[in-house]
Amino acid sequence: MKRTFLPLVALIVFALSGCNHSITSYVNPMVGTGGHGHTYPGAIVPFGMIQPSPDTRLNGWDGCSGYHYSDDTLYGFSHTHLSGTGCEDYGDVLLMPFSDSVSIDRNQYRSSFSHRREQAKAGYYSVILDNSRVLVELTATERTALHRYTYPYSGTKGFLIDLTHRDKTLSSGIRLHEDGTLTGWRFSSAWNPEQKLFFAINPSAEVDHVVFYKDDQPVEATAIDGENCKAVVYLKEGCKEAELQVAISAVDEQGALLNLATSKDLSFEEAHKQANAMWESELGKIVVKGKDRKAKKNFYTALYHCMTSPYLYSDVDGRYRAMNDSILTTDGKHNIYTVFSLWDTYRTLHPLLTLIDRKRTEDFIYTFAQQYATGGELTMWELASHETHCMIGYHACPVILEAMNAGIIDNFDQAFQEQLLEAMMATSNRTEAHQSYASMGYLSSEIDNESVSKTLEYSYDDWCIAQYASWLMNKYGQLPVADSTTSDTTAMASTSHHPLSQIVDTYTRRSQSWRNIMDENGFMHPRRNGGFTTPFSPAEVNNHFTEANSWQYSTYVVHDLFNYFNLLGGNEKAEQMIDSLFHTTASLEGRDQADITGLIGQYAHGNEPSHHAAYLYAYLGKQDKTAKLVRQICNELYTPNPDGLCGNEDCGQMSAWYVMSAMGFYPVCPGSGEYVIGSPLFEEVDIHLENGATILIDCDHQSQKNCYVQSYSVNGVGCTAPYLPYRTLADGAQIHFKMGSKPSGALYEAFDGSTEKEQQPLVTMPYFSRWEQRFDGSATIDLKSLRADSIFYRINDGEWMRYTEPFTIQSDATLMAYAVKGTTRSNTTIQHLTRFVADKKLSYITQPADQYRDSGEEGLIDRMRGEENYRIGGWQGWQTDMKVVVDLMAERSFSGLSLSLLSDCHSWIFLPSAITVEVSSDGTNYSPYATNNTIGNYYSNNGAPDDAINGWNYKLDPLVVTADVNGPSVHARYVRITATNYGAMPKWHISAGEQAWLFCSEIDFKDLSALDRLP
């Protein structure tokens, strides 16, 4: 198809001609508010500071955004919201209009509503409240929200301000100024334990009077402060319509007033038109044309969601709250942003924004640098100047690398560029777990939880660091760069300097650590004490993985695919592995993980770890398989309905996947500068770049049936590579696809990994066939390694020996082993073994959950205790009562016993309400021995609150508790122990009413007599 280059405005008009629809008409903010999308429908502008939206829920997983489509009552309209997260926060400064009567009790002032009288559009939201018959309309500017209330003809008019809404209020205040403006603050605790927010409210209608409430009691004052502050603003009699302007700031009330002044001359209608124009402009950066109206709705709603976060955070005067709680000012050229859900968004959202929004991406990089300067690390999941350390990885690194490939980093000076590398390295070595991963060559599961996912994602992030350091070296030569391995984010006392070539080598080696957790079946497998854990099922969701299982993580080697395919056994084996992911009939096992949704086989599109997987076929010369799956996901797992997302929106990532895939290419390896070809959805796509250039994409014979790319060209030159390099797109390009209904055969070249083959592959570390630390009597030692020529080992401080066959040990030992391939040796694997003589046996009456049965039947009597972080193992867990029988193997005396138990209320783990012990000589007839009925009083004795809404804020940190059951000396062989599960979690817990877990790691007997002999 012949294309003509047209100016941007003309292209937009041309693309929309004949349909009489603006771009914003395709946007439905209700998408994702149902199901588990966790979005909100309120009125926002692209990446704006403020998000006015209705709140229908106070807490709960499906209430993270404050709104769920299944609800039919709402509490009011607050001004901060999170889009698609799995944790709840925000919902600050609730306003609720009233007519006739008003109450400050949320259960009284909330109102029923109907979706039939509700409307959500880009930049606009409205609803009629059933109880008061008030029409509420919302719109926004960059830093302000505008409300318009249309009241019924009769009755008292006004609005309520509630600063206790949603999460726990630490302190707050409201004051009335002489001109009728209200200002105040709200400091709150939830996901961010000390969020600071200031506000200013300016009503257009004349205020008659304000009644302030402190601790729900009226106060005669013009200002109040405290934990429980509310105000009722009464408007002059006869008011039929009121417009409110609301601004927020993280700095102070003056900042909120300055932000408010930016919209002081705007009426509601003017602001609404301005918001719509902003959305038309931003969404118009990508213009799609085609006959599929559903696809257009999906596309522009997805692009809309891609432009919700990160949020603008610096005030109009450039001030912002830094990570160390200080107030700083920007350099005048950049803005500061907040809400960086990087574990999600580095995969697709940030590559998309790097392509179409270079200026804002530059601001993100500037923000990262300031966060490092005041917080000592690059952000992982930052929320309102607080690092939550939620999720895993150091994924600011790929965002920086993407910006480097796009030339955005060139906009900063050399010192800034070097500081970014320093920040990346400091973050990669921030904790003892990071340092253990770096020194061992993988993260072992006894060191940290989610060890498989972390090893894989750290490996990728390390590749990003190596690539960035290599770029700096090519640019400036062998300059030394600061490298800190300290976890002290203020002192940085151990900072040293290393030449760039050494940094490149170090992080290149670290980037291949993924090899050391791949087992002989090609699965990424948790390791522990030098071996692979058993039993193992790739379908099991457990604490070795981040919201996933081995199926969903095993292909995550996006930065080293050539070596990954080779280690699997070549391209054919790799294809079989990917086939199995999408076509296995295996069911999910283990922990119930609400995020794992949108399943195709074991591929889970509703969560991020496998978002890249459908595109891996293209690297194997099997792009047709990629095309078919991508089209299936686009068509089946995205719809323009409230439940139109198959998983959490996750701050734009779920939608960014659709946007990139619908255009026909996808960033499998962010930072590589490559976009893998998929299956374009539209006849035409025009991507308008900030430099004035346009990427024009044509698709001949495009239809639902014709999902396979038959051929493609760039600027008239035919291509066979499975990806488009960024450099071919940066200054505009014409991409022409020819589509067809049948696979195109061997159209694409298989990925040869030419750039990766230049690097010396890491030799895979050996592993021990058993991983348990304790052994009874003797242990047989068997060593293995993938693709190694030989293995060497030593026992304690002995000589190194070549391993030829299994051998036996009969005493405590530290074993070390390394593998050799050619002239290169691997890192050293270490295993610690401890001999013990079993003098008890244990059997279960109630079985522990499969994912929490550490060390099997010996787990409760192996003299090894679990730590406060239950995720690294050492515990057995029940959601029922724990009932076990200990066989002392002979008649023996003891005088009581104790259980090692865990309390971790944030993880739903509670101490039992009672422990009962019975004894028997024959294992059939039991007599009562002793009971501990006081263990369950731990929570009431330690200050557990009684407010269900504030359930995240109880000060009950994880704690290992030794619970004694005391009694007289008794002679018995069998001991039956019942620990009664706490049951339904209490009303102060965020998941009140759900079943608690009970965790035990060891049973100890007091004054237990010795066995005369072992049977």
Side-chain angles (χ1 to χ4, degrees), residues 781-828:
I781 307 303
D782 186 13
L783 277 162
K784 297 179 180 179
S785 180
L786 292 181
R787 312 287 192 272
D789 296 332
S790 56
I791 301 173
F792 292 84
Y793 75 97
R794 74 175 182 181
I795 304 173
N796 298 323
D797 295 325
E799 297 293 324
W800 286 101
M801 297 174 283
R802 182 187 292 271
Y803 175 78
T804 56
E805 60 183 0
F807 57 92
T808 301
I809 63 169
Q810 296 180 321
S811 60
D812 293 358
T814 296
L815 307 178
M816 288 174 279
Y818 65 86
V820 175
K821 186 173 180 61
T823 59
T824 306
R825 60 169 287 178
S826 73
N827 281 12
T828 301

Side-chain angles (χ1 to χ4, degrees), residues 22 58 112 119 274 293 323 380 424 439 496 563 696 725 838 874:
S22 64
L58 299 174
S112 61
Q119 188 177 33
Q274 180 176 292
R293 182 169 173 79
M323 301 296 286
M380 180 184 294
M424 287 191 273
S439 62
S496 56
N563 287 320
L696 304 176

Side-chain angles (χ1 to χ4, degrees), residues 230-286:
K230 301 172 185 176
V232 177
V233 180
Y234 292 88
L235 301 177
K236 285 289 187 179
E237 186 178 353
C239 176
K240 297 180 181 179
E241 181 180 284
E243 293 185 4
L244 275 64
Q245 295 182 337
V246 184
I248 60 174
S249 167
V251 176
D252 54 25
E253 290 176 66
Q254 183 61 30
L257 285 168
L258 289 173
N259 291 339
L260 186 70
T262 63
S263 60
K264 67 177 181 178
D265 296 326
L266 284 178
S267 68
F268 184 91
E269 280 302 324
E270 290 169 336
H272 177 203
K273 290 178 181 178
Q274 180 176 292
N276 185 72
M278 291 176 70
W279 278 114
E280 282 287 325
S281 176
E282 287 292 321
L283 296 171
K285 290 179 177 179
I286 305 177

Side-chain angles (χ1 to χ4, degrees), residues 320 322-324 328 336 364-380 382 387 396 400 415-430 481-486 488-493 495-496:
Y320 65 96
M323 301 296 286
N324 60 6
L328 301 178
I336 293 292
F364 298 158
I365 304 302
Y366 176 81
T367 300
F368 293 164
Q370 307 319 305
Q371 290 169 337
Y372 171 67
T374 58
E377 61 182 302
L378 292 172
T379 184
M380 180 184 294
E382 180 271 346
E387 180 50 64
I400 293 169
F416 185 96
Q417 295 168 1
E418 292 177 28
Q419 184 193 32
L420 288 178
L421 179 58
E422 174 192 330
M424 287 191 273
M425 291 189 294
T427 307
S428 74
N429 294 309
R430 184 178 61 83
V481 174
D483 177 19
S484 174
T485 58
T486 181
D488 184 343
T489 61
T490 56
M492 292 296 173
T495 299
S496 56

